[in-house]
Amino acid sequence: MSTLPFLTADPALVAELVDANHILYKQGVVDGFGHVSVRHPEHPGRFLIARSMAPALVTPADIVELDLDGNPVIAGADRKSTRLNSSHVSESRMP
């Protein structure tokens, strides 16, 4: 289990997601409003995403774990409307 407050995912996965945010920003794939998410490897009904902020500024502490309805899995996590759109996309990609 993660030592980050709002996650159950492996910290290595969180670090990769943070790196992905930074790399895609530096490459011009996402701008100040874009975002990157990843499906939770142990819980397919969940995904990890940074709270609503510029990808270039994302740190591990900014990553939250949401269910496919966009609800935080762990109480107290940030829930922003832009992340609800990601939850609907993730849900539509479920097999």
Side-chain angles (χ1 to χ4, degrees), residues 13-69:
L13 178 63
V14 173
E16 288 181 18
L17 182 56
V18 170
D19 289 345
N21 274 274
H22 297 169
I23 291 167
L24 293 178
Y25 175 77
K26 288 177 185 173
Q27 295 296 317
V29 176
V30 296
D31 59 13
F33 301 103
H35 61 271
V36 182
S37 64
V38 64
R39 188 65 59 96
H40 195 298
E42 297 171 15
H43 303 283
R46 300 177 184 179
F47 66 100
L48 306 175
I49 191 167
R51 61 187 179 87
S52 188
M53 64 186 309
L57 304 177
V58 172
T59 69
D62 298 314
I63 304 297
V64 294
E65 185 175 333
L66 304 176
D67 65 20
L68 296 180
D69 291 324

Side-chain angles (χ1 to χ4, degrees), residues 1-2 4 12 14 18 21 40 56 59 83 86-87 95:
M1 179 180 258
S2 172
L4 296 169
V14 173
V18 170
N21 274 274
H40 195 298
T59 69
R83 301 314 180 213
S86 293
S87 68

